[in-house]
């Protein structure tokens, strides 16, 4: 998910580090965060968050960064998923989208390879909890957004790697998308409801990500893995 953002007069991008780009020449002029990152979010005039394999938060506008385990420390090193997105509600809670993956062995037995789901911090990252009510069949969470109303929306999938589909030419096991959907929580992540089904059949893992955007008039737009744009006018409860 390549990201370019215009932040407080600076053009920032993930290359794969968070870097500032000269707006005339396109050259890198400064490294804001020398860690791998696929997203950058601003929560306040002084608070930033970025990450990919791990989560980093700055409370002084990017001058210093604090490492956050985002709840992944509760899992063994070999079973930790990566971080794909982060959001902060107006109540101050931080929500982290974690990419989990399932694995099928040579006889088709399905197990968890990477733990995913959604984690939450209510104290600016001092402590984290994995939200146990998140639907386990959708552990690959790619996008999470906190709406002005306090509602949380998250786009998630069930992604699996089948050892029986080894590609000898590429020397790799391709990922496969089993199902995908959009979820909504109106109680701070305590419970989740599926509000839109994205993919209905198995498919090769798409090379695109989903986005969720709240408009100034209160309507919400979201993209799907099939390339569609869907909309909601009732705080994410229904989509067309």
């Amino acid at each position: 998910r390549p990201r370019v953002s215009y932040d407080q007069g600076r053009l920032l991008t993930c290359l794969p580090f968070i870097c500032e780009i000269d707006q005339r020449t396109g050259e890198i002029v400064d490294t804001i965060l020398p860690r791998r990152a696929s997203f950058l979010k601003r929560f306040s005039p002084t608070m930033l968050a970025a990450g990919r394999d791990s989560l980093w938060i700055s409370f002084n506008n990017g001058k210093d960064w604090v490492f956050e385990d985002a709840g992944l420390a509760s899992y063994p090193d070999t079973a930790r998923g990566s971080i794909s997105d982060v959001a902060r509600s107006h109540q101050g809670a931080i929500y982290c989208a974690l990419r989990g993956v399932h694995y099928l062995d040579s006889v088709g037995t399905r197990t968890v390879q990477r733990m995913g789901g959604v984690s939450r911090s209510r104290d600016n990252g001092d402590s984290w909890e994995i939200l146990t009510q998140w639907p386990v069949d959708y552990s690959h969470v790619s996008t999470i957004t906190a709406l002005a109303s306090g509602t949380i929306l998250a786009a998630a999938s069930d992604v699996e790697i089948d050892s029986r589909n080894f590609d000898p030419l590429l020397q790799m096991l391709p990922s496969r998308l089993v199902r995908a959907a959009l979820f909504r929580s109106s109680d701070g992540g305590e419970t989740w409801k599926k509000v839109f089904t994205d993919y209905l059949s198995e498919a090769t893992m798409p090379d695109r990500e989903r986005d969720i955007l709240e408009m100034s008039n209160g309507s919400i737009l979201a993209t799907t893995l099939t390339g569609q744009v869907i909309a909601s006018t009732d705080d994410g409860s229904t989509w067309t």
Side-chain angles (χ1 to χ4, degrees):
R1 176 192 293 180
R3 290 289 192 188
V4 176
S5 59
Y6 190 73
D7 181 76
Q8 294 188 346
R10 302 177 299 177
L11 184 63
L12 304 180
T13 187
C14 308
L15 289 172
F17 306 145
I18 303 296
C19 299
E20 181 180 355
I21 304 297
D22 188 290
Q23 299 176 41
R24 295 177 301 163
T25 66
E27 296 179 351
I28 297 175
V29 296
D30 192 14
T31 299
I32 308 301
L33 175 63
R35 295 291 186 274
R36 287 179 29 157
S38 58
F39 65 86
L40 174 68
K41 293 290 185 70
R42 177 169 290 282
F43 294 149
S44 76
T46 58
M47 187 176 180
L48 294 165
R52 180 176 176 179
D53 298 327
S54 55
L55 178 65
W56 296 83
I57 295 179
S58 173
F59 298 95
N60 58 5
N61 207 29
K63 295 180 181 179
D64 302 291
W65 294 85
V66 179
F67 169 78
E68 302 288 349
D69 68 58
L72 291 174
S74 59
Y75 302 131
D77 290 348
T78 56
R80 295 176 185 175
S82 59
I83 299 169
S84 54
D85 200 9
V86 67
R88 187 172 188 257
S89 70
H90 290 300
Q91 291 77 23
I94 302 174
Y95 299 86
C96 217
L98 310 176
R99 292 176 181 260
V101 178
H102 287 91
Y103 179 81
L104 274 66
D105 64 17
S106 59
V107 295
T109 301
R110 180 175 155 112
T111 57
V112 175
Q113 185 183 58
R114 298 285 181 180
M115 302 298 295
V118 176
S119 62
R120 178 181 62 194
S121 173
R122 289 172 167 167
D123 51 15
N124 276 338
D126 287 343
S127 62
W128 292 86
E129 58 182 323
I130 301 294
L131 299 184
T132 57
Q133 296 304 314
W134 179 261
V136 294
D137 288 337
Y138 293 85
S139 64
H140 191 276
V141 186
S142 57
T143 305
I144 194 162
T145 299
L147 303 180
S149 64
T151 294
I152 309 298
L153 297 176
S157 311
D158 181 9
V159 175
E160 63 183 24
I161 297 174
D162 193 336
S163 63
R164 299 168 296 182
N165 293 335
F166 178 73
D167 189 324
L169 180 62
L170 299 177
Q171 291 291 303
M172 63 178 294
L173 289 168
S175 300
R176 180 175 62 188
L177 180 73
V178 180
R179 60 180 68 86
L182 185 64
F183 291 87
R184 178 181 185 270
S185 175
S186 59
D187 55 9
E190 296 299 324
T191 59
W192 297 87
K193 179 181 180 181
K194 185 196 298 183
V195 291
F196 183 83
T197 300
D198 195 340
Y199 245 80
L200 299 179
S201 59
E202 296 183 1
T204 302
M205 191 64 183
D207 59 355
R208 62 175 66 94
E209 294 281 9
R210 285 163 288 182
D211 278 309
I212 303 170
L213 176 64
E214 184 175 17
M215 308 297 287
S216 58
N217 63 0
S219 61
I220 310 161
L221 301 178
T223 57
T224 70
L225 292 175
T226 54
Q228 297 174 309
V229 177
I230 56 176
S232 174
T233 57
D234 56 4
D235 201 43
S237 295
T238 59
W239 296 82
T240 56

